[in-house]
Amino acid sequence: MTTFATGTDDTTRKRVLRTEIPGPRSRELQRRRADTVAAGVGSALPVYVTGADEGVLHDVDGNTLIDLGSGIAVTSVGNAAPEVVEPLRAQAAEFTHTCFMVTPYENYLAVCEELATLTPGEHEKRSALFNSGAEAVENAVKIARVATGRQAVVVFDHAYHGRTNLTMGMTAKSVPYKHGFGPFSSEIHRMPMSYPAWDATGGPEAARRVLDRIEKQIGGDQVAAVVIEPIQGEGGFVEPAAGFLPELSRWCAENGAVFVADEIQTGFCRTGTWFACEHEGVVPDLITTAKGIAGGMPLAAVTGRAEMMDSVPPGGLGGTYGGNPVACAAALGAIRAMRERDLAGAAGEIERRGLSRLRLLAQRSDRVLEARGRGAMLALELVGPDGHEPDPELTSRVAKACHARGVVVLTCGTHGNVLRLLPPLVIDPALFDEGLDVLEQSLFEQTG
Ligand SMILES: *Cc1c(COP(=O)(O)O)cnc(C)c1O
């Protein structure tokens, strides 16, 4: 058994490897899974989890792994955080469901009030609650179409918006998200993204390139919505050059189009502010949220300008489970934890600790094209020995080497060549540093 001291005296929050990863019991469950779970549902690291806490996952073989993925940016407040679990338990004991569209309840209202307060802009706002990020994006498009009476939806290269039919069409990457699943919805128009690691075009200039295309190919007066992630998630943690987002947002305001910020991954303190749009003072007309909103419970929202949101008549938005009372109780707890524990500040601290180390790695290795990120959304983009060609094989090998050492990291990017770190915002700094040590060791081991 290998125990790694982490500087915390809580023995449950240490990396402990008792078996190889995945261990024998996980491998046994993996065999059982193959006979019962559809092959199309993948797992980045098939260790079977029995418990989790602030920055660690405990598995069926008695191993404890460092979690630098947060279940894809979800457990920002920690896993089974007391601020989430206690109200969730209390709500579940009162009632678990009525359907807000049948007989409503108060905590749905309280979540919408929090969303109105926390999202950028001082204007009058309304929200509608859903179950998943994809559902929120779909509903943002529905609302934008009714509000404008137009149909065209502008999306970007490398975008990720979900796996339902409409959002698959909005997502850029074919394999594995779209391949074979068409036909997709019409009136989706893809535009070039500002991607500073590969293209030095400045933000405003990159935006003008997009706007010129919109005007020539779609017609400015045909655009219902421009939908963009302020920092792209699955697409490779792509942070557009300064000025790109404000210019798109300004154009939307001038042309009667709805500017939709998909903050499903970047929202709720992940990037060091409540929402990533705040970094450049951009105020979206509609904002979609999910992932970090409810400490792991399924909840999503569209929040936006009252006159746009209210353009859809009663009955036009909803769903059986949308804004489930247990999920709403969890969200109120998660938001309280973010506020009281200053988790936006904690994300900034993770950036200060992590990004400098990743930048050093980039200087020391010619296989790292760029270290980048904001807050607790950090990435390394890896390339081949020529220093230019994206290297997904290397990326996958480094991720697997981290996994074997008990550190959960994820990959992303259109070319699959980006290693991404999404630690819980409450992670112990010593544990985070240890995860970075393992990443460094794994990178140099795999690049020789
Ligand atoms: C994860 C994600 C989605 C989809 O959310 P689901 O809950 O998986 O449907 C949409 N947009 C962005 C930016 C995401 O990161």
Side-chain angles (χ1 to χ4, degrees):
M1 170 183 137
T2 324
T3 306
F4 303 87
T6 65
T8 160
D9 44 26
D10 184 342
T11 52
T12 64
R13 291 189 196 141
K14 280 186 168 65
R15 180 167 59 117
V16 179
L17 302 184
R18 293 178 198 275
T19 69
E20 61 183 315
I21 304 289
R25 295 204 56 212
S26 277
R27 290 203 303 274
E28 180 62 40
L29 288 168
Q30 192 66 358
R31 281 189 290 275
R32 184 170 141 202
R33 164 186 175 148
D35 293 331
T36 194
V37 179
V41 185
S43 292
L45 171 55
V47 300
Y48 284 73
V49 171
T50 53
D53 194 352
E54 299 191 348
V56 294
L57 301 172
H58 307 287
D59 79 1
V60 288
D61 290 290
N63 301 299
T64 304
L65 291 82
I66 298 178
D67 180 14
L68 301 184
S70 303
I72 319 189
V74 170
T75 52
S76 300
V77 297
N79 222 307
E83 293 96 328
V84 171
V85 172
E86 279 159 29
L88 181 159
R89 234 193 263 278
Q91 176 58 50
E94 296 298 331
F95 63 95
T96 49
H97 175 82
T98 61
C99 186
F100 193 79
M101 301 184 306
V102 179
T103 49
Y105 37 87
E106 186 176 349
N107 66 9
Y108 187 116
L109 280 52
V111 171
C112 296
E113 286 160 0
E114 287 284 20
L115 285 163
T117 307
L118 296 170
T119 54
E122 299 302 316
H123 50 277
E124 181 88 7
K125 293 172 197 157
R126 303 282 184 270
S127 291
L129 305 184
F130 305 97
N131 305 295
S132 70
E135 221 188 325
V137 173
E138 291 236 359
N139 279 281
V141 171
K142 283 167 62 173
I143 293 160
R145 283 180 170 156
V146 170
T148 58
R150 307 174 182 178
Q151 294 181 354
V153 176
V154 171
V155 294
F156 291 84
D157 288 336
H158 315 289
Y160 183 85
H161 297 294
R163 295 174 178 273
T164 57
N165 185 272
L166 177 59
T167 59
M168 267 195 291
M170 296 169 69
T171 289
K173 191 173 177 173
S174 173
V175 177
Y177 303 127
K178 303 166 76 167
H179 192 74
F181 296 141
F184 303 114
S185 174
S186 58
E187 284 304 327
I188 297 167
H189 304 266
R190 194 168 308 283
M191 296 291 150
M193 181 63 184
S194 165
Y195 196 155
W198 291 97
D199 168 14
T201 311
E205 203 182 331
R208 276 193 293 277
R209 179 171 70 191
V210 170
L211 300 175
D212 184 58
R213 247 192 234 195
I214 289 178
E215 275 159 7
K216 301 277 157 44
Q217 297 182 10
I218 310 169
D221 62 355
Q222 301 296 300
V223 176
V226 173
V227 184
I228 189 163
E229 301 153 83
I231 301 175
Q232 291 179 324
E234 308 300 305
F237 282 26
V238 180
E239 185 181 349
F244 186 70
L245 297 172
E247 188 64 12
L248 296 179
S249 155
R250 189 195 55 76
W251 182 90
C252 285
E254 283 174 7
N255 289 271
V258 179
F259 183 81
V260 183
D262 180 350
E263 293 239 24
I264 287 165
Q265 191 153 157
T266 51
F268 285 101
C269 301
R270 177 55 53 186
T271 70
T273 45
W274 279 95
F275 295 96
C277 273
E278 292 168 43
H279 188 70
E280 288 192 88
V282 170
V283 175
D285 298 312
L286 302 181
I287 181 166
T288 55
T289 53
K291 294 201 163 97
I293 191 175
M297 293 300 285
L299 189 72
V302 182
T303 300
R305 295 188 185 281
E307 65 281 12
M308 291 179 182
M309 295 294 296
D310 285 341
S311 65
V312 180
L317 305 175
T320 305
Y321 296 115
N324 169 275
V326 181
C328 284
L332 294 172
I335 291 167
R336 184 166 74 86
M338 287 179 208
R339 201 179 265 132
E340 288 177 359
R341 297 167 76 169
D342 183 23
L343 295 187
E349 194 50 44
I350 287 169
E351 176 182 330
R352 275 184 290 283
R353 286 183 93 81
L355 195 53
S356 51
R357 280 199 61 183
L358 295 181
R359 287 203 171 121
L360 261 167
L361 268 184
Q363 277 169 24
R364 287 172 52 206
S365 170
D366 54 9
R367 305 297 289 278
V368 180
L369 177 74
E370 188 178 66
R372 61 172 174 262
R374 206 190 300 155
M377 196 171 172
L378 303 171
L380 289 177
E381 179 153 5
L382 303 185
V383 288
D386 67 350
H388 193 71
E389 199 60 34
D391 197 335
E393 286 77 22
L394 172 64
T395 311
S396 160
R397 286 205 316 272
V398 176
K400 286 202 166 72
C402 291
H403 296 170
R405 293 186 168 95
V407 176
V408 180
V409 298
L410 303 171
T411 62
C412 63
T414 296
H415 305 289
N417 67 323
V418 179
L419 275 169
R420 59 168 157 174
L421 308 180
L422 290 161
L425 306 181
V426 294
I427 194 168
D428 182 316
L431 206 56
F432 180 53
D433 287 347
E434 186 182 332
L436 293 175
D437 292 342
V438 167
L439 174 61
E440 178 173 332
Q441 191 186 356
S442 302
L443 177 73
F444 286 114
E445 171 195 272
Q446 296 300 321
T447 54

